[in-house]
């Protein structure tokens, strides 16, 4: 809960350099204090040396720089405002999806990304073409659908959880009418998907690794630390997720701290 001293104060960052606002600085201080409390408790029980700490976040926020914030309105409303939206089949398919309130008739979800489930999946390509044609007016960086979408996600034709179309907007764009939002998450931008990741144990050397990693590697790393085969996780087997690099290979052999 936000303390009363920060009532009506904006969170997030002050600039593109990542200078925190007072609200964010307070949150970071509270996080540091919580971590210190855990460390002190582990040390008091003589467990600190055998504990592997992994500190990260489930997502970031976009944009970091408040000067880049652009809130043009909800995505479907922007599409509907285009001059030919009432006659173009692709635009009409998006309008139908947005007008649906109940049942399997389509849906449009937006924030710093737009997810579109179409009522009629045969109109997918028409909708993709329309969005690409009007990318500038709709603040679109990339439209993902069809074969490209299936490279990363399940086929929407057989998995209703997968949108038919994903729209990644230009960095800084948040499809909203909210006057309070200064950042959001859910998209594929740098701000959304890049978070800090710290792995700590007294026996690990103090190094910064620039090897690209993903947060899904945390789970198999925890299993390996517990002497459980990472492949025990179905997702690890299916996606062939590796453990985080530079932990055991810097300590020699297969010493896992036990």
């Amino acid at each position: 809960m936000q303390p009363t001293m920060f009532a009506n104060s904006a969170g997030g960052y002050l600039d593109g350099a990542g200078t925190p606002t007072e609200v964010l600085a307070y949150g970071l201080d509270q996080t540091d204090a919580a971590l210190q409390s855990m460390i002190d408790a582990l040390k008091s029980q003589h467990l600190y040396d055998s504990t592997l700490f992994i500190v990260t976040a489930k997502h970031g926020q976009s944009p970091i720089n408040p000067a880049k914030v652009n809130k043009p309105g909800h995505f479907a409303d922007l599409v509907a405002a285009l001059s030919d939206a009432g006659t173009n089949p692709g635009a009409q398919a998006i309008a139908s999806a947005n007008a649906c309130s109940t049942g399997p008739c389509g849906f449009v979800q937006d924030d710093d990304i737009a997810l579109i489930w179409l009522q009629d999946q045969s109109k997918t390509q028409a909708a993709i073409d329309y969005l690409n044609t009007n990318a500038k007016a709709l603040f679109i960086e990339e439209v993902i659908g069809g074969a490209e979408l299936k490279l990363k996600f399940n086929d929407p034709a057989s998995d209703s959880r997968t949108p038919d179309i994903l729209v990644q907007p230009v960095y800084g764009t948040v499809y909203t009418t909210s006057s309070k939002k200064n950042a959001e998450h859910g998209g594929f931008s740098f701000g959304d998907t890049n978070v800090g990741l710290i792995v700590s144990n007294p026996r690990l050397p103090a190094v910064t690794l620039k090897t690209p990693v993903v947060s899904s590697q945390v789970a198999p790393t925890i299993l390996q630390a517990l002497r459980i085969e990472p492949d025990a996780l179905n997702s690890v087997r299916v996606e062939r997720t590796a453990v985080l690099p530079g932990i055991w290979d810097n300590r020699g052999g297969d010493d896992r701290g036990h």
Side-chain angles (χ1 to χ4, degrees):
M1 181 178 295
Q2 182 171 297
T4 55
M5 61 181 171
F6 295 130
N8 301 317
S9 298
Y13 297 94
L14 291 172
D15 51 44
T19 305
T21 59
E22 287 187 332
V23 174
L24 178 56
Y26 177 84
L28 294 173
D29 287 343
Q30 294 301 301
T31 301
D32 287 345
L35 288 170
Q36 188 63 59
S37 176
M38 285 188 275
I39 290 170
D40 292 343
L42 289 166
K43 286 183 175 179
S44 70
Q45 297 296 317
H46 307 291
L47 295 171
Y48 177 70
D49 288 348
S50 62
T51 299
L52 182 70
F53 269 84
I54 302 178
V55 182
T56 187
K58 70 186 184 75
H59 61 74
Q61 289 285 101
S62 175
I64 292 174
N65 187 350
K68 291 184 175 291
V69 176
N70 173 37
K71 298 187 288 187
H74 286 294
F75 183 75
D77 294 337
L78 297 176
V79 173
L82 296 173
S83 59
D84 61 344
T87 57
N88 184 278
Q92 289 177 325
I94 295 171
S96 295
N98 188 55
C100 175
S101 58
T102 59
C105 51
F107 188 60
V108 178
Q109 175 69 46
D110 58 12
D111 242 322
D112 76 335
I113 193 169
L115 312 177
I116 305 169
W117 286 264
L118 295 174
Q119 181 178 7
D120 182 357
Q121 291 181 314
S122 69
K123 301 291 181 62
T124 299
Q125 192 58 51
I128 291 172
D129 293 343
Y130 187 77
L131 296 177
N132 278 320
T133 298
N134 294 280
K136 186 175 182 179
L138 298 172
F139 307 97
I140 293 174
E141 178 71 29
E142 184 179 9
V143 179
I144 304 172
E148 182 184 3
L149 185 145
K150 288 186 285 186
L151 290 174
K152 298 180 179 180
F153 303 97
N154 290 338
D155 186 348
S158 56
D159 188 344
S160 62
R161 297 170 298 178
T162 308
D164 297 294
I165 302 171
L166 293 91
V167 175
Q168 176 62 51
V170 174
Y171 182 75
T173 299
V174 181
Y175 294 122
T176 183
T177 57
S178 170
S179 61
K180 295 183 178 181
K181 289 186 178 182
N182 57 14
E184 258 301 343
H185 63 273
F188 304 136
S189 74
F190 179 89
D192 282 286
T193 57
N194 285 267
V195 296
L197 196 156
I198 300 171
V199 179
S200 177
N201 177 272
R203 300 177 64 186
L204 293 176
V207 296
T208 298
L209 297 181
K210 297 185 178 180
T211 304
V213 296
V214 293
S215 56
S216 59
Q217 290 177 251
V218 170
T221 300
I222 292 172
L223 290 187
Q224 183 154 318
L226 295 173
R227 292 188 176 276
I228 300 173
E229 285 300 324
D231 280 356
L233 287 177
N234 184 58
S235 60
V236 169
R237 294 195 303 271
V238 172
E239 299 175 8
R240 300 182 181 180
T241 310
V243 298
L244 291 169
I247 300 178
W248 293 282
D249 50 339
N250 281 335
R251 293 163 61 175
D254 192 30
D255 180 1
R256 302 178 189 180
H258 293 272

